[in-house]
Amino acid sequence: MSSAAVLCGVGAYLPPRLVTNDDLALRMDTSDEWIRSRTGIGRRHFADPGTATSDLAVEAGARALKSAGRDGADAVVVATMTPDHPCPATAPTVASRLGLTGATAFDVSAVCSGFVYALATAAGLIATGVARSVLVIGAEVNSTVLNPDDRSTSVIFGDGAGAVLLRAGTDDEYGALGPFDLGSDGTGAEHIMIAAGGSRGRGSGAEPAPGDQYMAMHGQEVFRHAVLRMSASARHVLAQAGWGVPDLDRVVSHQANQRIINQLADDLGLPRDRAVGNIARVGNTGAASIPIALADACSRGELNEGDRVLLTAFGGGLTWGSTLLRWPRVDGV
Ligand code: COA
């Protein structure tokens, strides 16, 4: 009989440097009023120069292990769009720095949907018996890919890492993940893209154009797709589970824009106050946003044992994904 993946620990780490909207307005043509009203973001954390994604991932991973009362895992999966290097993956470094040399370790690349993709991948590792426990980490140093001349991306993104520990268990336990829905639409690949640094750019033999090392985004297209895709994906897992929308106690969606979060709730017909999150305090932390929001909600008492919780994400690719769980007894660290 295959095992279910059961969430048993959650933790997050934010680099200490706080950057307010007013700080950004000192160096680009924007304002606290514009950013708050268009995105709901009030501030974000930026890593100090020299800090890499693995540095944040190790801190968050250690906290998730502590939350679970464990000192190790059989596998480490890191979801990120800002890996330490194009090669090798970031996860083996993270595993070794956590004292887990020898563990199964690899990265998942699905941009802001990466954490939900990584949860499904980790559930597969547990179902196939490859691992009895998996540390799933979302981590980003987004500040390294923000174009200082692009105010539409610079005001949205922040840095951070979040992690959960999954263990083998049974699907009737609180914390058991599933069903899952994952999807993609590569015809929208250009809507969120870092053009340089891959084989497409290098293979052309041409020097990267100025700015190609930074993320470019078509904000309005992304906004429209985000609401539609997360809503359809959420309905899909709810139907598979036999849950109705009113059954949901909490929605923890990718923290991209407060207006997206609100429209998603409206589209689903769910009261907005069931959507918990922390975008006002951390911005969009990419693949880290759902586990950071989970740790935050947990420590603020916004997630209680037995709550029916929807996790749903959307990101570059385009990609999207959702899953469900009954919230387990767990302390966020
Ligand atoms: N400060 C001040 N003005 C800004 C601005 C900023 N940071 N960014 C854009 N503007 C301006 C634009 O130049 C434009 O001015 P104009 O009307 O004079 O041309 C105006 O604000 C409206 O721009 P628009 O792009 O239509 O704004 P918007 O309401 O769509 O908000 C985003 C822009 C990026 C905040 C919004 O599209 C968004 O959040 N999209 C989704 C992004 C996302 O979630 N990405 C990650 C997904 S994983």
Side-chain angles (χ1 to χ4, degrees), residues 14-25 27-28 30-32 35-36 39-47 142-143 146 151 153-160 278-285:
L14 295 165
R17 184 156 61 105
L18 262 181
V19 177
T20 65
N21 294 341
D22 287 331
D23 293 333
L24 292 178
R27 58 180 174 82
M28 63 179 63
T30 191
S31 65
D32 180 57
I35 301 170
R36 277 184 198 276
T39 72
I41 298 168
R43 60 184 202 236
R44 74 287 294 144
H45 294 248
F46 278 175
N142 287 321
S143 54
L146 296 179
R151 60 183 179 171
T153 52
S154 289
V155 303
I156 291 178
F157 290 94
D159 300 338
N278 56 357
I279 190 168
R281 288 174 277 121
V282 301
N284 178 344
T285 56

mmCIF file of all heavy atoms in Angstrom, residues 14-25 27-28 30-32 35-36 39-47 142-143 146 151 153-160 278-285:
data_model
loop_
_atom_site.group_PDB
_atom_site.id
_atom_site.type_symbol
_atom_site.label_atom_id
_atom_site.label_comp_id
_atom_site.label_asym_id
_atom_site.label_seq_id
_atom_site.Cartn_x
_atom_site.Cartn_y
_atom_site.Cartn_z
ATOM 1 N N LEU A 14 13.266 34.981 6.950
ATOM 2 C CA LEU A 14 13.318 36.204 6.143
ATOM 3 C C LEU A 14 14.625 36.920 6.445
ATOM 4 O O LEU A 14 14.971 37.088 7.625
ATOM 5 C CB LEU A 14 12.144 37.116 6.494
ATOM 6 C CG LEU A 14 10.768 36.551 6.144
ATOM 7 C CD1 LEU A 14 9.663 37.328 6.855
ATOM 8 C CD2 LEU A 14 10.550 36.579 4.634
ATOM 9 N N PRO A 15 15.368 37.343 5.425
ATOM 10 C CA PRO A 15 16.599 38.078 5.703
ATOM 11 C C PRO A 15 16.259 39.367 6.438
ATOM 12 O O PRO A 15 15.199 39.942 6.217
ATOM 13 C CB PRO A 15 17.186 38.342 4.317
ATOM 14 C CG PRO A 15 16.048 38.211 3.367
ATOM 15 C CD PRO A 15 15.077 37.242 3.984
ATOM 16 N N PRO A 16 17.155 39.836 7.326
ATOM 17 C CA PRO A 16 16.766 40.923 8.228
ATOM 18 C C PRO A 16 16.522 42.282 7.572
ATOM 19 O O PRO A 16 15.767 43.082 8.107
ATOM 20 C CB PRO A 16 17.946 41.015 9.214
ATOM 21 C CG PRO A 16 19.037 40.179 8.648
ATOM 22 C CD PRO A 16 18.452 39.233 7.664
ATOM 23 N N ARG A 17 17.096 42.552 6.398
ATOM 24 C CA ARG A 17 17.017 43.909 5.836
ATOM 25 C C ARG A 17 15.611 44.208 5.299
ATOM 26 O O ARG A 17 15.145 43.580 4.353
ATOM 27 C CB ARG A 17 18.041 44.081 4.712
ATOM 28 C CG ARG A 17 18.087 45.497 4.146
ATOM 29 C CD ARG A 17 19.416 45.799 3.495
ATOM 30 N NE ARG A 17 19.697 44.912 2.388
ATOM 31 C CZ ARG A 17 19.609 45.244 1.096
ATOM 32 N NH1 ARG A 17 19.233 46.464 0.754
ATOM 33 N NH2 ARG A 17 19.923 44.381 0.153
ATOM 34 N N LEU A 18 14.939 45.176 5.923
ATOM 35 C CA LEU A 18 13.588 45.575 5.508
ATOM 36 C C LEU A 18 13.674 46.717 4.506
ATOM 37 O O LEU A 18 14.421 47.676 4.714
ATOM 38 C CB LEU A 18 12.816 46.076 6.723
ATOM 39 C CG LEU A 18 11.871 45.121 7.426
ATOM 40 C CD1 LEU A 18 11.187 45.841 8.584
ATOM 41 C CD2 LEU A 18 10.829 44.578 6.471
ATOM 42 N N VAL A 19 12.893 46.633 3.444
ATOM 43 C CA VAL A 19 12.848 47.709 2.447
ATOM 44 C C VAL A 19 11.394 48.154 2.331
ATOM 45 O O VAL A 19 10.515 47.369 1.939
ATOM 46 C CB VAL A 19 13.386 47.212 1.084
ATOM 47 C CG1 VAL A 19 13.266 48.317 0.040
ATOM 48 C CG2 VAL A 19 14.836 46.757 1.214
ATOM 49 N N THR A 20 11.144 49.403 2.709
ATOM 50 C CA THR A 20 9.766 49.909 2.664
ATOM 51 C C THR A 20 9.462 50.490 1.281
ATOM 52 O O THR A 20 10.365 50.713 0.464
ATOM 53 C CB THR A 20 9.561 51.025 3.710
ATOM 54 O OG1 THR A 20 10.391 52.136 3.332
ATOM 55 C CG2 THR A 20 9.926 50.560 5.109
ATOM 56 N N ASN A 21 8.176 50.757 1.054
ATOM 57 C CA ASN A 21 7.800 51.402 -0.204
ATOM 58 C C ASN A 21 8.451 52.778 -0.316
ATOM 59 O O ASN A 21 8.859 53.193 -1.405
ATOM 60 C CB ASN A 21 6.277 51.547 -0.282
ATOM 61 C CG ASN A 21 5.579 50.200 -0.361
ATOM 62 O OD1 ASN A 21 6.211 49.199 -0.712
ATOM 63 N ND2 ASN A 21 4.290 50.168 -0.044
ATOM 64 N N ASP A 22 8.542 53.465 0.815
ATOM 65 C CA ASP A 22 9.184 54.785 0.782
ATOM 66 C C ASP A 22 10.661 54.665 0.410
ATOM 67 O O ASP A 22 11.200 55.527 -0.286
ATOM 68 C CB ASP A 22 9.031 55.488 2.143
ATOM 69 C CG ASP A 22 7.606 55.975 2.376
ATOM 70 O OD1 ASP A 22 6.921 56.286 1.377
ATOM 71 O OD2 ASP A 22 7.180 56.036 3.540
ATOM 72 N N ASP A 23 11.313 53.587 0.867
ATOM 73 C CA ASP A 23 12.715 53.369 0.465
ATOM 74 C C ASP A 23 12.802 53.253 -1.051
ATOM 75 O O ASP A 23 13.703 53.824 -1.685
ATOM 76 C CB ASP A 23 13.284 52.088 1.094
ATOM 77 C CG ASP A 23 13.422 52.178 2.607
ATOM 78 O OD1 ASP A 23 13.587 53.300 3.115
ATOM 79 O OD2 ASP A 23 13.353 51.109 3.274
ATOM 80 N N LEU A 24 11.879 52.492 -1.656
ATOM 81 C CA LEU A 24 11.908 52.318 -3.119
ATOM 82 C C LEU A 24 11.620 53.643 -3.829
ATOM 83 O O LEU A 24 12.208 53.944 -4.871
ATOM 84 C CB LEU A 24 10.885 51.264 -3.552
ATOM 85 C CG LEU A 24 11.174 49.822 -3.125
ATOM 86 C CD1 LEU A 24 10.051 48.898 -3.585
ATOM 87 C CD2 LEU A 24 12.499 49.350 -3.721
ATOM 88 N N ALA A 25 10.712 54.435 -3.248
ATOM 89 C CA ALA A 25 10.345 55.706 -3.882
ATOM 90 C C ALA A 25 11.515 56.694 -3.905
ATOM 91 O O ALA A 25 11.511 57.638 -4.694
ATOM 92 C CB ALA A 25 9.147 56.315 -3.160
ATOM 93 N N ARG A 27 14.425 55.857 -4.907
ATOM 94 C CA ARG A 27 15.305 55.574 -6.048
ATOM 95 C C ARG A 27 14.568 55.250 -7.348
ATOM 96 O O ARG A 27 15.195 54.983 -8.357
ATOM 97 C CB ARG A 27 16.306 54.472 -5.704
ATOM 98 C CG ARG A 27 15.731 53.143 -5.270
ATOM 99 C CD ARG A 27 16.880 52.174 -4.976
ATOM 100 N NE ARG A 27 16.468 50.924 -4.425
ATOM 101 C CZ ARG A 27 16.017 49.909 -5.150
ATOM 102 N NH1 ARG A 27 15.897 50.018 -6.449
ATOM 103 N NH2 ARG A 27 15.695 48.771 -4.556
ATOM 104 N N MET A 28 13.231 55.298 -7.350
ATOM 105 C CA MET A 28 12.499 55.140 -8.607
ATOM 106 C C MET A 28 11.180 55.903 -8.538
ATOM 107 O O MET A 28 10.752 56.300 -7.449
ATOM 108 C CB MET A 28 12.269 53.664 -8.945
ATOM 109 C CG MET A 28 11.413 52.901 -7.971
ATOM 110 S SD MET A 28 11.189 51.186 -8.471
ATOM 111 C CE MET A 28 12.864 50.586 -8.395
ATOM 112 N N THR A 30 7.949 55.996 -8.059
ATOM 113 C CA THR A 30 6.802 55.279 -7.506
ATOM 114 C C THR A 30 6.443 55.919 -6.172
ATOM 115 O O THR A 30 7.067 56.902 -5.760
ATOM 116 C CB THR A 30 7.119 53.771 -7.348
ATOM 117 O OG1 THR A 30 5.921 53.076 -7.050
ATOM 118 C CG2 THR A 30 8.159 53.498 -6.263
ATOM 119 N N SER A 31 5.425 55.371 -5.512
ATOM 120 C CA SER A 31 5.015 55.951 -4.227
ATOM 121 C C SER A 31 4.411 54.863 -3.347
ATOM 122 O O SER A 31 3.913 53.847 -3.850
ATOM 123 C CB SER A 31 3.969 57.047 -4.446
ATOM 124 O OG SER A 31 2.800 56.461 -4.972
ATOM 125 N N ASP A 32 4.445 55.112 -2.056
ATOM 126 C CA ASP A 32 3.819 54.181 -1.109
ATOM 127 C C ASP A 32 2.339 54.012 -1.453
ATOM 128 O O ASP A 32 1.811 52.896 -1.454
ATOM 129 C CB ASP A 32 3.982 54.722 0.318
ATOM 130 C CG ASP A 32 3.356 53.804 1.352
ATOM 131 O OD1 ASP A 32 3.727 52.629 1.410
ATOM 132 O OD2 ASP A 32 2.450 54.269 2.078
ATOM 133 N N ILE A 35 1.885 51.733 -4.612
ATOM 134 C CA ILE A 35 2.212 50.316 -4.376
ATOM 135 C C ILE A 35 1.155 49.669 -3.486
ATOM 136 O O ILE A 35 0.674 48.565 -3.765
ATOM 137 C CB ILE A 35 3.623 50.168 -3.761
ATOM 138 C CG1 ILE A 35 4.689 50.774 -4.687
ATOM 139 C CG2 ILE A 35 3.939 48.706 -3.499
ATOM 140 C CD1 ILE A 35 6.076 50.891 -4.064
ATOM 141 N N ARG A 36 0.771 50.359 -2.425
ATOM 142 C CA ARG A 36 -0.245 49.777 -1.520
ATOM 143 C C ARG A 36 -1.572 49.577 -2.227
ATOM 144 O O ARG A 36 -2.209 48.524 -2.104
ATOM 145 C CB ARG A 36 -0.471 50.698 -0.308
ATOM 146 C CG ARG A 36 0.536 50.517 0.776
ATOM 147 C CD ARG A 36 0.185 51.384 1.991
ATOM 148 N NE ARG A 36 1.360 51.530 2.819
ATOM 149 C CZ ARG A 36 1.743 50.650 3.741
ATOM 150 N NH1 ARG A 36 1.006 49.582 3.962
ATOM 151 N NH2 ARG A 36 2.839 50.838 4.434
ATOM 152 N N THR A 39 -1.123 46.825 -5.174
ATOM 153 C CA THR A 39 -0.592 45.483 -4.869
ATOM 154 C C THR A 39 -0.880 45.019 -3.443
ATOM 155 O O THR A 39 -0.769 43.824 -3.171
ATOM 156 C CB THR A 39 0.944 45.422 -5.058
ATOM 157 O OG1 THR A 39 1.568 46.157 -4.002
ATOM 158 C CG2 THR A 39 1.381 45.999 -6.402
ATOM 159 N N GLY A 40 -1.157 45.928 -2.522
ATOM 160 C CA GLY A 40 -1.333 45.558 -1.118
ATOM 161 C C GLY A 40 -0.027 45.391 -0.373
ATOM 162 O O GLY A 40 -0.019 45.008 0.799
ATOM 163 N N ILE A 41 1.080 45.685 -1.043
ATOM 164 C CA ILE A 41 2.399 45.477 -0.411
ATOM 165 C C ILE A 41 2.844 46.757 0.305
ATOM 166 O O ILE A 41 2.767 47.856 -0.253
ATOM 167 C CB ILE A 41 3.449 45.069 -1.482
ATOM 168 C CG1 ILE A 41 3.046 43.741 -2.132
ATOM 169 C CG2 ILE A 41 4.852 44.967 -0.858
ATOM 170 C CD1 ILE A 41 3.833 43.393 -3.392
ATOM 171 N N GLY A 42 3.308 46.580 1.558
ATOM 172 C CA GLY A 42 3.810 47.716 2.320
ATOM 173 C C GLY A 42 5.318 47.695 2.475
ATOM 174 O O GLY A 42 5.968 48.734 2.601
ATOM 175 N N ARG A 43 5.892 46.499 2.511
ATOM 176 C CA ARG A 43 7.337 46.360 2.665
ATOM 177 C C ARG A 43 7.737 44.959 2.239
ATOM 178 O O ARG A 43 6.892 44.091 2.022
ATOM 179 C CB ARG A 43 7.769 46.623 4.104
ATOM 180 C CG ARG A 43 7.146 45.673 5.103
ATOM 181 C CD ARG A 43 7.546 46.047 6.531
ATOM 182 N NE ARG A 43 7.418 44.910 7.405
ATOM 183 C CZ ARG A 43 6.688 44.879 8.518
ATOM 184 N NH1 ARG A 43 6.013 45.947 8.902
ATOM 185 N NH2 ARG A 43 6.626 43.800 9.265
ATOM 186 N N ARG A 44 9.044 44.734 2.109
ATOM 187 C CA ARG A 44 9.576 43.415 1.762
ATOM 188 C C ARG A 44 10.968 43.316 2.383
ATOM 189 O O ARG A 44 11.548 44.323 2.810
ATOM 190 C CB ARG A 44 9.616 43.177 0.242
ATOM 191 C CG ARG A 44 10.663 43.894 -0.543
ATOM 192 C CD ARG A 44 10.407 45.398 -0.721
ATOM 193 N NE ARG A 44 9.245 45.696 -1.536
ATOM 194 C CZ ARG A 44 8.414 46.723 -1.320
ATOM 195 N NH1 ARG A 44 8.636 47.568 -0.305
ATOM 196 N NH2 ARG A 44 7.381 46.968 -2.097
ATOM 197 N N HIS A 45 11.502 42.089 2.411
ATOM 198 C CA HIS A 45 12.859 41.865 2.913
ATOM 199 C C HIS A 45 13.770 41.624 1.720
ATOM 200 O O HIS A 45 13.418 40.862 0.811
ATOM 201 C CB HIS A 45 12.906 40.643 3.833
ATOM 202 C CG HIS A 45 12.122 40.822 5.100
ATOM 203 N ND1 HIS A 45 12.712 40.907 6.342
ATOM 204 C CD2 HIS A 45 10.782 40.946 5.317
ATOM 205 C CE1 HIS A 45 11.778 41.062 7.264
ATOM 206 N NE2 HIS A 45 10.595 41.084 6.671
ATOM 207 N N PHE A 46 14.955 42.236 1.728
ATOM 208 C CA PHE A 46 15.964 41.954 0.707
ATOM 209 C C PHE A 46 17.185 41.367 1.406
ATOM 210 O O PHE A 46 17.627 41.868 2.462
ATOM 211 C CB PHE A 46 16.386 43.225 -0.042
ATOM 212 C CG PHE A 46 15.435 43.636 -1.155
ATOM 213 C CD1 PHE A 46 15.650 44.826 -1.840
ATOM 214 C CD2 PHE A 46 14.346 42.853 -1.530
ATOM 215 C CE1 PHE A 46 14.791 45.232 -2.870
ATOM 216 C CE2 PHE A 46 13.482 43.249 -2.554
ATOM 217 C CZ PHE A 46 13.711 44.442 -3.221
ATOM 218 N N ALA A 47 17.758 40.333 0.789
ATOM 219 C CA ALA A 47 18.993 39.759 1.318
ATOM 220 C C ALA A 47 20.140 40.730 1.086
ATOM 221 O O ALA A 47 20.135 41.492 0.115
ATOM 222 C CB ALA A 47 19.281 38.436 0.609
ATOM 223 N N ASN A 142 15.056 36.980 -4.882
ATOM 224 C CA ASN A 142 14.510 37.659 -6.062
ATOM 225 C C ASN A 142 15.187 38.989 -6.338
ATOM 226 O O ASN A 142 15.218 39.442 -7.493
ATOM 227 C CB ASN A 142 13.003 37.899 -5.862
ATOM 228 C CG ASN A 142 12.206 36.620 -5.987
ATOM 229 O OD1 ASN A 142 12.504 35.784 -6.822
ATOM 230 N ND2 ASN A 142 11.196 36.466 -5.146
ATOM 231 N N SER A 143 15.710 39.624 -5.273
ATOM 232 C CA SER A 143 16.326 40.947 -5.466
ATOM 233 C C SER A 143 17.474 40.889 -6.471
ATOM 234 O O SER A 143 17.816 41.903 -7.070
ATOM 235 C CB SER A 143 16.803 41.515 -4.131
ATOM 236 O OG SER A 143 17.654 40.596 -3.473
ATOM 237 N N LEU A 146 15.936 41.542 -10.108
ATOM 238 C CA LEU A 146 15.069 42.701 -10.338
ATOM 239 C C LEU A 146 15.821 43.800 -11.081
ATOM 240 O O LEU A 146 16.929 44.188 -10.665
ATOM 241 C CB LEU A 146 14.551 43.250 -9.006
ATOM 242 C CG LEU A 146 13.643 42.298 -8.221
ATOM 243 C CD1 LEU A 146 13.206 42.952 -6.909
ATOM 244 C CD2 LEU A 146 12.432 41.901 -9.066
ATOM 245 N N ARG A 151 10.000 49.524 -12.652
ATOM 246 C CA ARG A 151 9.257 49.737 -11.401
ATOM 247 C C ARG A 151 8.133 48.725 -11.236
ATOM 248 O O ARG A 151 7.638 48.520 -10.132
ATOM 249 C CB ARG A 151 8.730 51.168 -11.319
ATOM 250 C CG ARG A 151 7.787 51.550 -12.429
ATOM 251 C CD ARG A 151 7.382 53.010 -12.310
ATOM 252 N NE ARG A 151 6.487 53.378 -13.405
ATOM 253 C CZ ARG A 151 5.840 54.520 -13.470
ATOM 254 N NH1 ARG A 151 5.993 55.418 -12.508
ATOM 255 N NH2 ARG A 151 5.042 54.787 -14.478
ATOM 256 N N THR A 153 8.231 45.422 -11.669
ATOM 257 C CA THR A 153 8.700 44.228 -10.944
ATOM 258 C C THR A 153 9.368 44.603 -9.619
ATOM 259 O O THR A 153 9.215 43.887 -8.627
ATOM 260 C CB THR A 153 9.708 43.418 -11.785
ATOM 261 O OG1 THR A 153 10.733 44.299 -12.248
ATOM 262 C CG2 THR A 153 9.037 42.735 -12.957
ATOM 263 N N SER A 154 10.105 45.721 -9.615
ATOM 264 C CA SER A 154 10.905 46.060 -8.423
ATOM 265 C C SER A 154 10.068 46.266 -7.178
ATOM 266 O O SER A 154 10.549 46.048 -6.067
ATOM 267 C CB SER A 154 11.731 47.314 -8.683
ATOM 268 O OG SER A 154 12.763 47.032 -9.587
ATOM 269 N N VAL A 155 8.806 46.707 -7.365
ATOM 270 C CA VAL A 155 8.003 46.990 -6.173
ATOM 271 C C VAL A 155 7.275 45.748 -5.653
ATOM 272 O O VAL A 155 6.745 45.753 -4.547
ATOM 273 C CB VAL A 155 6.971 48.113 -6.447
ATOM 274 C CG1 VAL A 155 7.667 49.378 -6.919
ATOM 275 C CG2 VAL A 155 5.902 47.670 -7.441
ATOM 276 N N ILE A 156 7.242 44.694 -6.455
ATOM 277 C CA ILE A 156 6.425 43.520 -6.097
ATOM 278 C C ILE A 156 7.209 42.478 -5.301
ATOM 279 O O ILE A 156 6.711 41.919 -4.322
ATOM 280 C CB ILE A 156 5.873 42.847 -7.381
ATOM 281 C CG1 ILE A 156 4.846 43.742 -8.048
ATOM 282 C CG2 ILE A 156 5.247 41.505 -7.053
ATOM 283 C CD1 ILE A 156 4.306 43.138 -9.337
ATOM 284 N N PHE A 157 8.435 42.202 -5.763
ATOM 285 C CA PHE A 157 9.115 41.006 -5.266
ATOM 286 C C PHE A 157 9.944 41.254 -4.000
ATOM 287 O O PHE A 157 10.453 42.344 -3.768
ATOM 288 C CB PHE A 157 10.008 40.415 -6.366
ATOM 289 C CG PHE A 157 9.212 39.793 -7.481
ATOM 290 C CD1 PHE A 157 8.891 40.517 -8.618
ATOM 291 C CD2 PHE A 157 8.741 38.494 -7.369
ATOM 292 C CE1 PHE A 157 8.138 39.957 -9.642
ATOM 293 C CE2 PHE A 157 7.986 37.914 -8.379
ATOM 294 C CZ PHE A 157 7.681 38.649 -9.524
ATOM 295 N N GLY A 158 10.091 40.180 -3.207
ATOM 296 C CA GLY A 158 10.929 40.200 -2.021
ATOM 297 C C GLY A 158 11.686 38.890 -1.906
ATOM 298 O O GLY A 158 11.473 37.961 -2.691
ATOM 299 N N ASP A 159 12.583 38.815 -0.930
ATOM 300 C CA ASP A 159 13.402 37.622 -0.711
ATOM 301 C C ASP A 159 12.913 36.865 0.522
ATOM 302 O O ASP A 159 12.350 37.462 1.453
ATOM 303 C CB ASP A 159 14.867 38.018 -0.477
ATOM 304 C CG ASP A 159 15.462 38.773 -1.656
ATOM 305 O OD1 ASP A 159 14.936 38.632 -2.785
ATOM 306 O OD2 ASP A 159 16.454 39.500 -1.444
ATOM 307 N N GLY A 160 13.201 35.566 0.573
ATOM 308 C CA GLY A 160 12.850 34.778 1.757
ATOM 309 C C GLY A 160 12.821 33.302 1.449
ATOM 310 O O GLY A 160 13.022 32.887 0.297
ATOM 311 N N ASN A 278 0.374 37.191 3.986
ATOM 312 C CA ASN A 278 1.228 38.210 4.587
ATOM 313 C C ASN A 278 1.902 39.070 3.534
ATOM 314 O O ASN A 278 2.994 39.585 3.764
ATOM 315 C CB ASN A 278 2.272 37.546 5.494
ATOM 316 C CG ASN A 278 3.095 36.509 4.738
ATOM 317 O OD1 ASN A 278 2.857 36.243 3.560
ATOM 318 N ND2 ASN A 278 4.076 35.943 5.413
ATOM 319 N N ILE A 279 1.253 39.218 2.367
ATOM 320 C CA ILE A 279 1.894 39.959 1.279
ATOM 321 C C ILE A 279 2.226 41.390 1.699
ATOM 322 O O ILE A 279 3.231 41.945 1.249
ATOM 323 C CB ILE A 279 1.020 39.945 0.001
ATOM 324 C CG1 ILE A 279 1.825 40.502 -1.178
ATOM 325 C CG2 ILE A 279 -0.313 40.641 0.199
ATOM 326 C CD1 ILE A 279 1.195 40.292 -2.520
ATOM 327 N N ALA A 280 1.417 41.979 2.584
ATOM 328 C CA ALA A 280 1.683 43.363 3.005
ATOM 329 C C ALA A 280 3.060 43.490 3.638
ATOM 330 O O ALA A 280 3.728 44.522 3.520
ATOM 331 C CB ALA A 280 0.612 43.821 3.999
ATOM 332 N N ARG A 281 3.506 42.410 4.300
ATOM 333 C CA ARG A 281 4.772 42.471 5.049
ATOM 334 C C ARG A 281 5.960 41.856 4.331
ATOM 335 O O ARG A 281 7.099 42.097 4.706
ATOM 336 C CB ARG A 281 4.588 41.791 6.414
ATOM 337 C CG ARG A 281 3.746 42.614 7.368
ATOM 338 C CD ARG A 281 3.434 41.886 8.654
ATOM 339 N NE ARG A 281 2.297 40.995 8.487
ATOM 340 C CZ ARG A 281 2.328 39.692 8.690
ATOM 341 N NH1 ARG A 281 3.429 39.111 9.087
ATOM 342 N NH2 ARG A 281 1.247 38.972 8.504
ATOM 343 N N VAL A 282 5.721 41.036 3.305
ATOM 344 C CA VAL A 282 6.856 40.346 2.658
ATOM 345 C C VAL A 282 6.880 40.470 1.136
ATOM 346 O O VAL A 282 7.863 40.085 0.506
ATOM 347 C CB VAL A 282 6.911 38.842 3.030
ATOM 348 C CG1 VAL A 282 7.037 38.668 4.525
ATOM 349 C CG2 VAL A 282 5.711 38.076 2.498
ATOM 350 N N GLY A 283 5.827 41.002 0.517
ATOM 351 C CA GLY A 283 5.777 41.068 -0.943
ATOM 352 C C GLY A 283 5.631 39.684 -1.549
ATOM 353 O O GLY A 283 5.207 38.735 -0.893
ATOM 354 N N ASN A 284 5.994 39.606 -2.846
ATOM 355 C CA ASN A 284 5.913 38.329 -3.566
ATOM 356 C C ASN A 284 7.275 37.642 -3.459
ATOM 357 O O ASN A 284 8.252 38.102 -4.055
ATOM 358 C CB ASN A 284 5.549 38.608 -5.035
ATOM 359 C CG ASN A 284 5.486 37.347 -5.876
ATOM 360 O OD1 ASN A 284 5.978 36.291 -5.477
ATOM 361 N ND2 ASN A 284 4.908 37.457 -7.059
ATOM 362 N N THR A 285 7.325 36.562 -2.694
ATOM 363 C CA THR A 285 8.594 35.845 -2.499
ATOM 364 C C THR A 285 8.679 34.594 -3.381
ATOM 365 O O THR A 285 9.396 33.644 -3.053
ATOM 366 C CB THR A 285 8.810 35.482 -1.014
ATOM 367 O OG1 THR A 285 7.682 34.720 -0.567
ATOM 368 C CG2 THR A 285 8.970 36.710 -0.156
#
